[in-house]
């Protein structure tokens, strides 16, 4: 149905008398951008108005450059591209994001002024007051303190489509408790500005099929910013999934041991109150967690069974039907008739 669609669009354009001026300076939109090993930054653009010529100075997003070559869909060099013509352009200093507008400007000074302003605005929007500490190990140390529920990341890839796929996959890992926060994602080599941005946000840099420049690598070493390289997207996602799983608070799993009933309470000098108990179910163990219930109301939720005696001897555990003496860490308000539930608590790591 593609031919029918094109025919309908052309008919509508004719009926609505839609025309573009080919004689003005060109502007349009970036469709795709990638980093080519032999040619550098290559951007596919669609001219909307005007005519784009070889030698024009182009600003696209926060990137600019002089057009060194124009290539059509057959990979042939052309001198110009008019309205509605898609072309690849070579000569930009980086890879703009798909959907960014591009425009021809009068000189390099104007181009540099525009891009510096856009970079500054983007940095202000994405900058974060998170303290420095830019390796995954540092992030994990912070997460243990339960202070961080977001994992800031800087992502650079060889093609903008790869960066978008990685960001989309990371978004799917997000839960109500944890998520990855993308400080910057884009195509191109890892630059010094990427390192400075990662440093300010306390984020590691993930490179997918790209490498850091020598200057960027040296700056990262000086500033303590971790750079991780990947060539397989699943390896990258597995690593980040592991870090996000570590951000989840562990689940407390309770295992029932036994119940006891307080028959009598003794007040012993230098020891405090000791409960004389009979084990009614299961076993009780020294060092286990206890919950004390009085008239169906919990009076001690997470106590510790500090002392367990059988007659005058310290014992590790007492089984059902036997009598024993118990003392609890930091708790003296024990009364006759209380029920003591004995259990163990185990922390179980959660994963996404």
């Amino acid at each position: 149905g593609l031919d029918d669609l094109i025919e309908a669009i052309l008919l509508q354009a004719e009926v609505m008398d839609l025309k573009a001026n080919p004689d003005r300076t060109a502007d349009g939109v970036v469709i795709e951008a990638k980093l080519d090993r032999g040619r550098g930054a290559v951007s596919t653009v669609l001219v909307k108005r005007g005519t784009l010529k070889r030698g024009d100075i182009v600003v696209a997003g926060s990137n600019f450059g002089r057009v060194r070559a124009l290539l059509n869909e057959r990979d042939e060099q052309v001198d110009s591209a008019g309205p509605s013509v898609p072309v690849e352009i070579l000569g930009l200093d980086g890879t703009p994001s798909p959907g960014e507008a591009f425009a021809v400007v009068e000189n390099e000074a104007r181009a540099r002024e525009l891009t510096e302003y856009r970079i500054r605005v983007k940095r202000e929007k994405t900058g974060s007051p998170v303290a420095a500490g830019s390796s995954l190990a540092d992030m994990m140390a912070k997460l243990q303190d339960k202070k961080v529920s977001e994992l800031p990341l800087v992502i650079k890839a060889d093609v903008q489509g790869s960066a978008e796929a990685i960001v989309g996959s990371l978004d799917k890992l997000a839960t109500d408790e944890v998520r990855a926060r993308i400080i910057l994602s884009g195509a191109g080599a890892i630059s010094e500005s990427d390192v400075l941005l990662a440093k300010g946000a306390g984020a590691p840099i993930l490179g997918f099929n790209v490498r850091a420049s020598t200057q960027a690598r040296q700056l990262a070493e000086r500033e303590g910013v971790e750079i991780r390289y990947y060539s397989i997207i699943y390896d990258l996602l597995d690593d980040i999934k592991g870090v996000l799983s570590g951000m989840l608070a562990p689940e407390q799993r309770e295992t029932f041991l036994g119940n006891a009933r307080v028959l009598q309470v003794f007040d012993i000098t230098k020891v405090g109150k000791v409960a004389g108990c009979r084990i009614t179910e299961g076993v009780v163990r020294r060092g286990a967690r206890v919950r004390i219930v009085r008239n169906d109301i919990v009076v001690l939720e997470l106590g510790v069974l500090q002392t367990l005696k059988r007659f005058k001897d310290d014992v590790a555990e007492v089984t059902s039907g036997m009598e024993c003496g118990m003392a609890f860490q930091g708790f003296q308000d024990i009364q006759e008739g209380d029920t003591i539930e004995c259990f163990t608590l185990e922390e179980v790591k959660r994963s996404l």
Side-chain angles (χ1 to χ4, degrees), residues 9-18:
I9 291 172
L10 291 173
L11 178 61
Q12 286 294 323
E14 189 174 338
V15 170
M16 298 171 69
D17 195 28
L18 299 178

Side-chain angles (χ1 to χ4, degrees), residues 307-315 323-325:
T307 305
L308 183 61
K309 288 183 177 287
R310 177 91 173 121
F311 300 110
K312 292 185 178 181
D313 300 323
D314 286 317
V315 291
E323 294 184 357
C324 61

Side-chain angles (χ1 to χ4, degrees), residues 211-230:
R211 289 290 182 270
S213 66
T214 303
Q215 294 86 349
R217 188 173 65 251
Q218 291 171 349
L219 179 63
E221 290 172 358
R222 287 197 304 271
E223 298 293 344
V225 176
E226 182 181 15
I227 301 176
R228 289 198 174 194
Y229 300 113
Y230 297 90

Side-chain angles (χ1 to χ4, degrees), residues 328-347:
F328 309 100
Q329 183 177 326
F331 184 77
Q332 297 289 310
D333 184 27
I334 190 74
Q335 294 181 16
E336 187 178 322
D338 288 351
T339 298
I340 298 167
E341 297 177 7
C342 188
F343 58 93
T344 59
L345 269 184
E346 179 186 7
E347 284 195 348

Side-chain angles (χ1 to χ4, degrees), residues 74-110:
R74 292 182 291 276
D75 213 24
E76 299 168 343
Q77 291 213 22
V78 294
D79 292 329
S80 63
S84 299
V85 175
V87 285
E88 282 188 340
I89 63 174
L90 279 63
L92 296 184
D93 62 353
T95 49
S97 301
E100 293 268 24
F102 82 87
V104 173
V105 295
E106 59 271 20
N107 52 51
E108 286 194 14
R110 176 62 176 156

